[in-house]
Amino acid sequence: MSRAEQIALYWDFENIHASLCTLRYGPHWYRDKMNRHSRQPALVDINSIMEFINSVGEVNINKAYGNWSFFFGYSFDLQNHAVDLVQMFPRGSHGKNGADIRMAIDAIEDITLNPHISTVVVIGGDSDYVALAQKVRQRGKRIIGIGVRETTNQYWMKSCNQFKYYSSLLVKSSSISSLEKEGYETGDLEDAKKLLIKALGRIAAETGETKIVKAAIKPMLIRLDPAFDESNYGFSTFKSFLESCQDVISIHNGEHDHHISLKSPEDLARLETNARKLHPYELILQKQHVHLPDPTLLTTGIRETFALFVEHGEISGYPLFREKLDERLKAKGIEATAKDLNNIQQVLFRTFCFKLNYERQTLSIQPDVASADMLWVRAVSYLVKRITDNLEEPPDYEAMSELLFGDTENAGHLRDIHDNELWKRNSRE
C-alpha cells in the first residue's frame, strides 16, 4: 500500500475571500475601506476545500494568514479543521498585510525542517506565489494551488503541478449543482476537447498504442494543463466528461477499464494546423481561455446587452440572457451563433459587470456601469490588458483593432485605453 501524501497547507485567506467578494459584489466593493475594515460575510466554503485536501493525503501543517479581526465569521469552520490562524496586521496606506511574503518564508522553512512533507498546497491566486512554486518543485515536492478561476493569475496556475479552481471543488462536494447558476464561469467544452485530443496524441506517441486506457488520460491532461478538471465544465465525474466528447473520441470496453481512442487520427494534425492560422493576439487570448465572438458582433453585442438590462432591469439567469440578446440582435438583422452569444457573455463576465441576486437567481448590471459606452470601455479594456500583458514588443493597435472589430477604425481608442491602463497602474505603484 502506497504511503499517503504528507501535506503542508497554507491559506492566503484574504486573497480568496476578496476574490469571492469581487464575484458577488463587484470589483470595487472590497477595495472600499469601509467594507474591507468591517466584519466580513462568510463566503468561502472551507468544508468543500478541506474535503478535497483530505482526499489528497494527510494534513500535517495547516496555516491560514489574515487579519482575523474581520474574519471571525469563519471561526467555527476553521477551528473545526484545526487551522492555525496567523494574525497579519495591515501595513501601509493600501492595507496590504504581507501574507504572501510570510507564507512563502514559512512554507520553505517548514519543508526544510520537515522533510517528510511531500506536497505543499497554497490557497490563493496571486502571481507572487510563482517563485514559491519554483522553490518547492526544486526541492522535489509537489505543489497544488487553489484559487478562484475568475481572478487567479495564469502564471501562478501554470507553475503548479496541479491547480484546482475553487468552483470545481464546490461541484465535487455537491455544494452547488450548476456553475453558471451560482455565478461562476463554466469552461468552454471545445477547449477541453482540444486538450483531450492533444493528451491522447501524446500518450499514443509515447506508447505506440491507439487505444488508451482511461486511467492514463487524466494524469496527462493535468500535465498539459495543471488546472484541468472535468468539474470546470460542469461534470461531476471524468466518465461523464468523456461521454460528452464522443464527437472526437470513441469509448471501448476493456478487460479492467475502458479504452479511449481518437475517432479520427487526423484530428490532432488538423487542430495544430488551425492553431497556426490564428492571429498571434488571438492565440494569446485563447491560452487564457478567452474566446472572441465574430468581430462584427463584439461592439453591437456589448451595447445591446446594456440596452437589454435597461429594458428589463433583471433577467432570470444566463440562459435567458443569451436568449434575449439573440432576440435583440435578430431584430437588427444580425445572426449570431450560440458560440458567439457564449463568447459575448464570457468577455462581459470576465469584467465582473454582471450582478447576480442569489436569492431571486436573477442577473442585472453592476450599478457602477452607467452607460453602454462605459460597458464597452470596460470590456475592451479587459481584452487589451489580457493581450498587452503578454507582449514583449510594443502593441500593434491596428492589428488589435482588426482582430477585435474587423477593421482598423478603433486603433486610436485601443491606444488610449492602453495608455490609460498604464497610467492607472503606475499611479497605484
Side-chain angles (χ1 to χ4, degrees), residues 384 397 414-424 426:
V384 170
Y397 297 106
L414 298 180
R415 180 182 288 103
D416 292 342
I417 286 171
H418 184 220
D419 289 345
N420 187 49
E421 286 296 317
L422 289 176
W423 181 84
K424 287 193 293 185
N426 292 333

Side-chain angles (χ1 to χ4, degrees), residues 20 23-24 181-184 356-362:
L20 293 177
L23 281 182
R24 180 163 292 201
K181 187 177 179 181
E182 295 297 323
Y184 296 100
L356 179 62
N357 186 304
Y358 288 83
E359 293 180 359
R360 297 194 295 271
Q361 287 296 308
T362 57

Side-chain angles (χ1 to χ4, degrees), residues 7-13 15-16 49-50 53 59-65 83-84 86 99-100 102-114 117 119-125 129 132 136 142-146 156:
I7 297 171
L9 171 59
Y10 304 91
W11 306 65
D12 187 342
F13 205 85
N15 180 278
I16 190 168
I49 294 175
M50 288 305 304
I53 301 296
V59 178
N60 291 194
I61 297 170
N62 193 350
K63 297 178 180 178
Y65 301 75
V83 181
D84 180 11
V86 181
D100 45 10
R102 173 71 184 275
M103 279 175 59
I105 294 171
D106 284 359
I108 296 302
E109 181 179 31
D110 288 341
I111 63 175
T112 301
L113 296 176
N114 301 278
I117 296 295
T119 302
V120 172
V121 181
V122 174
I123 299 173
Y129 298 121
L132 172 60
V136 169
R142 292 180 70 235
I143 184 160
I144 299 174
I146 297 174
W156 154 233

Side-chain angles (χ1 to χ4, degrees), residues 188-200 221 228 233 235 241-249 262 267-268 271:
D188 190 319
L189 187 56
E190 292 305 309
D191 281 346
K193 289 178 181 178
K194 291 176 184 178
L195 186 67
L196 178 60
I197 292 170
K198 286 183 179 180
L200 289 171
L221 288 167
F228 173 81
Y233 308 94
F235 300 101
F241 162 71
L242 290 175
E243 288 172 348
S244 74
C245 298
Q246 292 187 73
D247 56 331
V248 296
I249 63 169
L262 287 172
D267 279 343
L268 182 60
L271 176 66

Side-chain angles (χ1 to χ4, degrees), residues 146-197:
I146 297 174
V148 176
R149 177 191 185 109
E150 293 79 1
T151 58
T152 291
N153 178 272
Q154 59 171 321
Y155 299 112
W156 154 233
M157 178 187 72
K158 295 291 186 182
S159 67
C160 295
N161 296 103
Q162 187 175 7
F163 196 93
K164 289 289 184 181
Y165 294 133
Y166 171 78
S167 54
S168 76
L169 302 185
L170 300 183
V171 173
K172 289 288 191 187
S173 67
S174 301
S175 294
I176 61 173
S177 58
S178 168
L179 291 173
E180 193 172 72
K181 187 177 179 181
E182 295 297 323
Y184 296 100
E185 184 175 356
T186 302
D188 190 319
L189 187 56
E190 292 305 309
D191 281 346
K193 289 178 181 178
K194 291 176 184 178
L195 186 67
L196 178 60
I197 292 170

Side-chain angles (χ1 to χ4, degrees), residues 257-317:
D257 197 358
H258 287 96
H259 290 77
I260 312 298
S261 64
L262 287 172
K263 229 164 204 178
S264 168
E266 290 77 31
D267 279 343
L268 182 60
R270 185 168 63 252
L271 176 66
E272 291 175 344
T273 300
N274 291 339
R276 284 195 292 271
K277 293 177 182 177
L278 292 176
H279 189 280
Y281 289 177
E282 189 167 8
L283 279 174
I284 288 173
L285 292 174
Q286 288 203 3
K287 286 179 181 178
Q288 301 171 76
H289 303 293
V290 179
H291 298 276
L292 296 172
D294 185 281
T296 61
L297 285 173
L298 183 61
T299 295
T300 305
I302 292 171
R303 293 187 179 281
E304 288 302 312
T305 292
F306 185 82
L308 180 60
F309 282 104
V310 168
E311 179 182 347
H312 293 277
E314 292 185 331
I315 296 174
S316 299

